[in-house]
Amino acid sequence: MNTKTKSIKSLFKPYLTVKNAYKGGKSVLPKNKDQKVFKLSSNENPIGSSPLAIEAIKNSIENLHLYPDATDIRLREALEIYYNYQLTKDQFICAASGSEIIDLVIRAFVKEGDEVIVSTPCFVPYKMFSRWSGATVVDIPLFEDNYGLNMEGILNAITKKTRIIFLTSPNNPTGSYISKVELEFLLNKLPQDIVVVFDEVYWHFANAQDYTTALPYISKYPNLIAINSFSKTYGLASLRVGYSYMNEEVAAYLRQICKPFLITKLSLEGSIASLKDTDFIEKTIDTIRSEKIYLQEQFNKLEIRFYPTQANFYLINPPIPSSEFVQFLAEEGIAVRPVDNFGATGKVRISIGTREANEALIKSIRKLKVISLN
Ligand SMILES: *Cc1c(COP(=O)(O)O)cnc(C)c1O
């Protein structure tokens, strides 16, 4: 055997390319010690983390040499209470982030050559993780004018190979949402052997009359899986915890490939405590709602074109090319997110911050407008 002509590279899977590695929201470093920086690039909670979570983490900081619980059962029991027993603990799957659950669902249902449907602009991991499983990503873009869902397009795109459809409401990065009527229409039309992933991680911020989570539909549609996260509303992005709920049999199927000891001790204690922190959640929602109105008024005054949002961020059309806009704000100490890779070319996503951060943002945009006029 000529061992020299063999190469380890022949084992590389053709669809596992590293060239489209995920780029997260960039941090901006202060130019000098007096410059304050504001991170409005990753939709994090502007008022911090749940104090109850912080306390629980502090109390569990001892014994880091011991393994955490082998399973997520205590978190699932806490979720059962949080959902007022409308769901049982056996309907939840938890993991080290919402993104991990998205990956878990893809690995559980998708094999090489299968198809998944996404609607860009959308959260990048749907496409990225699907490709890692060797799936073909079929894109049925949202309508350009209002970022509504192209339901006919989705139904027409279904083939024998379709395994998963990703729906996001409120959607990242557009802030648009899927109405009750739309979701019901789709669930009724879609074949039961296609998984509908309903990503609702921003649901706390939605206040449209006809907004819905997946909760009312779970018992009727066993192919429906709802994705949630502790990263946004609970202010626990760095702990990496997420959860999902679904039909009990589907959960039992997914549970077979849940890794033991996956969620760290600190993450378990923090997320469990945060579920009880109704004060913090209310304060977070109130802050986002009032700051959303503040930003809307200011954007209108400055003639910045923005899209209506049901989430804790705005998608805007920057007044100058997006890369220059992002760069200008970075120099001002404000990080915002270009979202070309989400499929929103030339647009910028700005997380809703504290009043201080939002005022700094508006002041900087005003300055930019003055500069560009001269
Ligand atoms: C932030 C986000 C998630 C999950 O985030 P994790 O930090 O991985 O839990 C999932 N979906 C969307 C649309 C998001 O914006």
Side-chain angles (χ1 to χ4, degrees):
M1 189 173 62
N2 185 349
T3 53
K4 290 247 171 65
T5 61
K6 306 250 175 197
S7 163
I8 187 67
K9 288 186 184 173
S10 66
L11 299 183
F12 290 4
K13 296 177 180 177
Y15 47 84
L16 285 185
T17 57
V18 286
K19 58 175 182 282
N20 41 17
Y22 184 73
K23 286 194 202 79
K26 278 203 193 79
S27 295
V28 162
L29 297 172
K31 270 193 297 203
N32 53 58
K33 67 175 182 0
D34 297 323
Q35 193 187 33
K36 234 179 152 164
V37 299
F38 298 103
K39 188 166 179 246
L40 300 178
S41 52
S42 298
N43 304 340
E44 290 142 340
N45 189 320
I47 65 166
S49 308
S50 148
L52 290 188
I54 295 171
E55 193 185 280
I57 290 166
K58 279 188 183 151
N59 291 339
S60 63
I61 200 81
E62 303 292 322
N63 299 324
L64 290 181
H65 60 293
L66 300 177
Y67 274 94
D69 299 358
T71 76
D72 58 355
I73 183 66
R74 284 195 301 123
L75 178 52
R76 288 194 277 127
E77 282 165 357
L79 284 164
E80 187 179 61
I81 295 167
Y82 178 79
Y83 279 89
N84 283 318
Y85 300 93
Q86 288 173 278
L87 298 163
T88 73
K89 60 184 187 310
D90 296 327
Q91 289 182 275
F92 294 100
I93 293 285
C94 306
S97 78
S99 306
E100 269 294 315
I101 301 176
I102 291 164
D103 185 50
L104 184 81
V105 172
I106 293 169
R107 281 188 286 114
F109 290 104
V110 172
K111 60 182 188 319
E112 215 177 313
D114 286 345
E115 292 170 4
V116 309
I117 296 180
V118 302
S119 295
T120 59
C122 69
F123 191 48
V124 177
Y126 309 151
K127 298 183 265 184
M128 195 163 80
F129 300 170
S130 295
R131 293 198 182 106
W132 290 351
S133 286
T136 302
V137 176
V138 177
D139 183 15
I140 307 298
L142 300 176
F143 291 120
E144 259 177 53
D145 52 345
N146 60 356
Y147 290 127
L149 196 62
N150 180 354
M151 294 184 290
E152 285 305 320
I154 288 175
L155 292 173
N156 290 333
I158 289 168
T159 72
K160 280 199 198 90
K161 291 181 175 175
T162 309
R163 296 290 171 268
I164 303 180
I165 294 175
F166 283 99
L167 303 177
T168 320
S169 182
N171 187 44
N172 177 8
T174 60
S176 53
Y177 71 105
I178 298 166
S179 73
K180 263 182 200 141
V181 172
E182 288 175 312
L183 180 60
E184 282 170 18
F185 174 84
L186 266 182
L187 288 172
N188 280 329
K189 295 267 176 174
L190 288 169
Q192 287 286 312
D193 63 350
I194 294 178
V195 176
V196 179
V197 171
F198 192 82
D199 184 336
E200 55 186 39
V201 304
Y202 297 101
W203 74 268
H204 287 94
F205 305 119
N207 59 356
Q209 288 258 306
D210 57 348
Y211 174 78
T212 185
T213 65
L215 186 59
Y217 306 102
I218 287 296
S219 58
K220 189 165 171 204
Y221 299 96
N223 56 330
L224 180 59
I225 298 179
I227 307 284
N228 279 277
S229 171
F230 287 92
S231 299
K232 309 285 159 59
T233 321
Y234 295 94
L236 298 175
S238 82
L239 287 189
R240 315 305 300 128
V241 200
Y243 71 90
S244 57
Y245 58 85
M246 65 203 81
N247 165 279
E248 197 176 311
E249 264 185 291
V250 177
Y253 170 65
L254 287 183
R255 210 175 311 287
Q256 297 180 92
I257 56 165
C258 286
K259 292 167 190 142
F261 309 106
L262 179 70
I263 306 176
T264 71
K265 168 90 174 153
L266 303 185
S267 303
L268 267 179
E269 301 305 342
S271 55
I272 290 169
S274 75
L275 283 174
K276 295 187 203 109
D277 203 340
T278 44
D279 282 354
F280 177 76
I281 296 308
E282 267 170 39
K283 205 168 148 206
T284 297
I285 295 169
D286 287 349
T287 304
I288 296 301
R289 292 217 175 132
S290 54
E291 291 309 307
K292 177 173 141 177
I293 295 166
Y294 169 77
L295 277 181
Q296 181 177 325
E297 287 165 358
Q298 299 301 317
F299 286 157
N300 279 332
K301 278 190 201 158
L302 289 166
E303 292 176 350
I304 297 292
R305 174 133 192 261
F306 61 92
Y307 292 85
T309 186
Q310 287 290 307
N312 64 342
F313 53 82
Y314 273 108
L315 185 71
I316 70 154
N317 278 325
I320 56 171
S322 60
S323 55
E324 292 169 36
F325 181 75
V326 171
Q327 182 57 35
F328 176 85
L329 288 180
E331 309 244 333
E332 295 279 303
I334 301 167
V336 296
R337 185 77 181 270
V339 282
D340 302 68
N341 61 331
F342 290 62
T345 311
K347 306 210 157 79
V348 173
R349 191 192 66 198
I350 302 179
S351 309
I352 298 171
T354 56
R355 179 57 59 92
E356 187 191 9
N358 297 336
E359 275 176 352
L361 169 78
I362 294 301
K363 198 170 150 204
S364 296
I365 298 179
R366 202 175 292 131
K367 182 168 156 193
L368 170 72
K369 289 221 130 181
V370 173
I371 296 169
S372 1
L373 282 176
N374 291 334

PDB file of all heavy atoms in Angstrom, residues 7-14:
ATOM      1  N   SER A   7      -4.305  10.834   2.152  1.00  0.00           N
ATOM      2  CA  SER A   7      -4.289  12.080   2.917  1.00  0.00           C
ATOM      3  C   SER A   7      -5.454  12.114   3.890  1.00  0.00           C
ATOM      4  O   SER A   7      -6.560  11.689   3.560  1.00  0.00           O
ATOM      5  CB  SER A   7      -4.389  13.282   1.971  1.00  0.00           C
ATOM      6  OG  SER A   7      -4.753  14.423   2.720  1.00  0.00           O
ATOM      7  N   ILE A   8      -5.178  12.614   5.054  1.00  0.00           N
ATOM      8  CA  ILE A   8      -6.239  12.788   6.045  1.00  0.00           C
ATOM      9  C   ILE A   8      -7.352  13.671   5.482  1.00  0.00           C
ATOM     10  O   ILE A   8      -8.519  13.560   5.833  1.00  0.00           O
ATOM     11  CB  ILE A   8      -5.660  13.365   7.372  1.00  0.00           C
ATOM     12  CG1 ILE A   8      -6.698  13.407   8.491  1.00  0.00           C
ATOM     13  CG2 ILE A   8      -5.084  14.749   7.177  1.00  0.00           C
ATOM     14  CD1 ILE A   8      -7.157  12.081   8.987  1.00  0.00           C
ATOM     15  N   LYS A   9      -6.959  14.542   4.548  1.00  0.00           N
ATOM     16  CA  LYS A   9      -7.937  15.494   4.000  1.00  0.00           C
ATOM     17  C   LYS A   9      -9.047  14.811   3.208  1.00  0.00           C
ATOM     18  O   LYS A   9     -10.110  15.394   3.007  1.00  0.00           O
ATOM     19  CB  LYS A   9      -7.239  16.513   3.106  1.00  0.00           C
ATOM     20  CG  LYS A   9      -6.402  17.503   3.892  1.00  0.00           C
ATOM     21  CD  LYS A   9      -5.877  18.562   2.961  1.00  0.00           C
ATOM     22  CE  LYS A   9      -4.950  19.506   3.695  1.00  0.00           C
ATOM     23  NZ  LYS A   9      -4.311  20.424   2.767  1.00  0.00           N
ATOM     24  N   SER A  10      -8.750  13.565   2.747  1.00  0.00           N
ATOM     25  CA  SER A  10      -9.795  12.863   1.988  1.00  0.00           C
ATOM     26  C   SER A  10     -10.986  12.533   2.896  1.00  0.00           C
ATOM     27  O   SER A  10     -12.068  12.216   2.429  1.00  0.00           O
ATOM     28  CB  SER A  10      -9.225  11.587   1.367  1.00  0.00           C
ATOM     29  OG  SER A  10      -8.875  10.692   2.413  1.00  0.00           O
ATOM     30  N   LEU A  11     -10.754  12.583   4.215  1.00  0.00           N
ATOM     31  CA  LEU A  11     -11.847  12.308   5.160  1.00  0.00           C
ATOM     32  C   LEU A  11     -12.682  13.552   5.468  1.00  0.00           C
ATOM     33  O   LEU A  11     -13.746  13.458   6.063  1.00  0.00           O
ATOM     34  CB  LEU A  11     -11.285  11.766   6.479  1.00  0.00           C
ATOM     35  CG  LEU A  11     -10.511  10.464   6.432  1.00  0.00           C
ATOM     36  CD1 LEU A  11     -10.091  10.049   7.830  1.00  0.00           C
ATOM     37  CD2 LEU A  11     -11.341   9.352   5.789  1.00  0.00           C
ATOM     38  N   PHE A  12     -12.168  14.717   5.107  1.00  0.00           N
ATOM     39  CA  PHE A  12     -12.904  15.947   5.419  1.00  0.00           C
ATOM     40  C   PHE A  12     -14.247  15.928   4.699  1.00  0.00           C
ATOM     41  O   PHE A  12     -14.314  15.626   3.509  1.00  0.00           O
ATOM     42  CB  PHE A  12     -12.121  17.199   4.969  1.00  0.00           C
ATOM     43  CG  PHE A  12     -10.877  17.490   5.768  1.00  0.00           C
ATOM     44  CD1 PHE A  12     -10.440  16.633   6.774  1.00  0.00           C
ATOM     45  CD2 PHE A  12     -10.122  18.632   5.494  1.00  0.00           C
ATOM     46  CE1 PHE A  12      -9.282  16.905   7.498  1.00  0.00           C
ATOM     47  CE2 PHE A  12      -8.973  18.908   6.212  1.00  0.00           C
ATOM     48  CZ  PHE A  12      -8.548  18.045   7.207  1.00  0.00           C
ATOM     49  N   LYS A  13     -15.303  16.237   5.411  1.00  0.00           N
ATOM     50  CA  LYS A  13     -16.615  16.288   4.770  1.00  0.00           C
ATOM     51  C   LYS A  13     -16.701  17.566   3.923  1.00  0.00           C
ATOM     52  O   LYS A  13     -16.372  18.644   4.416  1.00  0.00           O
ATOM     53  CB  LYS A  13     -17.717  16.290   5.841  1.00  0.00           C
ATOM     54  CG  LYS A  13     -17.745  15.014   6.660  1.00  0.00           C
ATOM     55  CD  LYS A  13     -18.804  15.086   7.740  1.00  0.00           C
ATOM     56  CE  LYS A  13     -18.831  13.799   8.551  1.00  0.00           C
ATOM     57  NZ  LYS A  13     -19.800  13.862   9.658  1.00  0.00           N
ATOM     58  N   PRO A  14     -17.137  17.415   2.669  1.00  0.00           N
ATOM     59  CA  PRO A  14     -17.122  18.587   1.773  1.00  0.00           C
ATOM     60  C   PRO A  14     -17.966  19.750   2.273  1.00  0.00           C
ATOM     61  O   PRO A  14     -17.683  20.905   1.978  1.00  0.00           O
ATOM     62  CB  PRO A  14     -17.669  18.036   0.455  1.00  0.00           C
ATOM     63  CG  PRO A  14     -18.337  16.744   0.794  1.00  0.00           C
ATOM     64  CD  PRO A  14     -17.645  16.207   2.007  1.00  0.00           C
TER      65      PRO A  14
END
